[in-house]
């Protein structure tokens, strides 16, 4: 592992332990050349995934990009980082275990929307507005109407029937 301070390739591992969710290994490292200390994380990668964009362009799947886009949607929202990490791990696991080497960006977007919907409604609307390319207020109204409808169904509450109809 290259030292981020001096660029030396001769770093040493001083401590290794699993993260709280046991999805990766945290390693404390030290550089013998400059004495710099830093932490790395090691994760299991089942397969190399390729993302097929809407334009047809193909790029290598980037877990950090996925996490960043979710964190942007959740900015200034009261959601614990551990819940975000679990959500990202779950999405990556679903993608890797699908058996496909290529995954469409729309599939990833739908998985993110599904995860955000259960995590935080505001973040869900934020992400959806960008993902679905909202152009006017009516787009927000439709999404909020769907969100309200889902909450009513999920709660088992039936809207009251008016007798004057």
């Amino acid at each position: 592992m290259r030292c981020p301070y001096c660029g030396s390739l001769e770093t040493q591992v001083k401590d290794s332990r699993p993260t709280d969710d046991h999805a990766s290994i945290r390693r404390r490292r030290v550089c013998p050349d400059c004495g710099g200390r830093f932490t790395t994380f090691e994760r299991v990668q089942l397969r190399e995934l390729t993302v097929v964009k809407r334009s047809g362009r193909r790029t290598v799947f980037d877990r950090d990009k996925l996490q960043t886009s979710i964190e942007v949607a959740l900015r200034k929202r009261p959601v614990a980082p551990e819940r975000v990490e679990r959500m990202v791990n779950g999405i990556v696991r679903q993608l890797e275990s699908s058996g496909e080497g290529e995954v469409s960006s729309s599939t990833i977007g739908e998985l993110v929307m599904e995860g955000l919907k259960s995590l935080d409604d505001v973040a869900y609307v934020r992400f959806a507005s960008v993902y679905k390319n909202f152009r006017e207020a009516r787009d927000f109204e439709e999404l909020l109407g769907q969100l309200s409808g889902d909450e009513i169904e999920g709660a088992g509450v039936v809207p009251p029937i008016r007798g004057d109809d």
Side-chain angles (χ1 to χ4, degrees), residues 148-158:
S148 296
D150 289 347
E151 287 176 0
I152 290 172
E153 287 176 20
V157 176
V158 177

Side-chain angles (χ1 to χ4, degrees), residues 9-33:
L9 294 175
E10 301 299 321
T11 60
Q12 299 171 345
V13 175
K14 290 298 181 187
D15 179 46
S16 291
R17 63 182 66 177
T19 56
D20 292 338
D21 63 357
H22 298 281
S24 59
I25 295 181
R26 177 182 179 269
R27 299 195 193 280
R28 289 291 299 154
R29 296 178 178 267
V30 65
C31 176
D33 294 340

Side-chain angles (χ1 to χ4, degrees), residues 95-108:
L95 294 172
E96 288 179 340
S97 63
S98 71
E100 300 294 322
E102 290 187 345
V103 62
S104 69
S105 59
S106 61
T107 301
I108 296 170

Side-chain angles (χ1 to χ4, degrees), residues 24-93:
S24 59
I25 295 181
R26 177 182 179 269
R27 299 195 193 280
R28 289 291 299 154
R29 296 178 178 267
V30 65
C31 176
D33 294 340
C34 72
R37 294 179 176 269
F38 58 100
T39 303
T40 60
F41 292 89
E42 182 180 315
R43 285 189 180 82
V44 172
Q45 183 175 355
L46 297 176
R47 66 171 30 120
E48 187 75 21
L49 292 172
T50 302
V51 178
V52 181
K53 305 280 188 165
R54 288 181 184 156
S55 67
R57 197 170 54 100
R58 287 168 164 66
T59 60
V60 175
F61 175 76
D62 184 354
R63 183 186 192 285
D64 293 333
K65 185 176 178 183
L66 172 66
Q67 183 156 357
T68 300
S69 66
I70 292 169
E71 288 171 350
V72 166
L74 286 164
R75 188 169 290 145
K76 296 187 179 182
R77 298 298 302 156
V79 177
E82 297 81 31
R83 292 184 70 197
V84 176
E85 184 69 23
R86 273 196 306 270
M87 180 183 152
V88 171
N89 287 341
I91 291 171
V92 171
R93 219 172 298 123

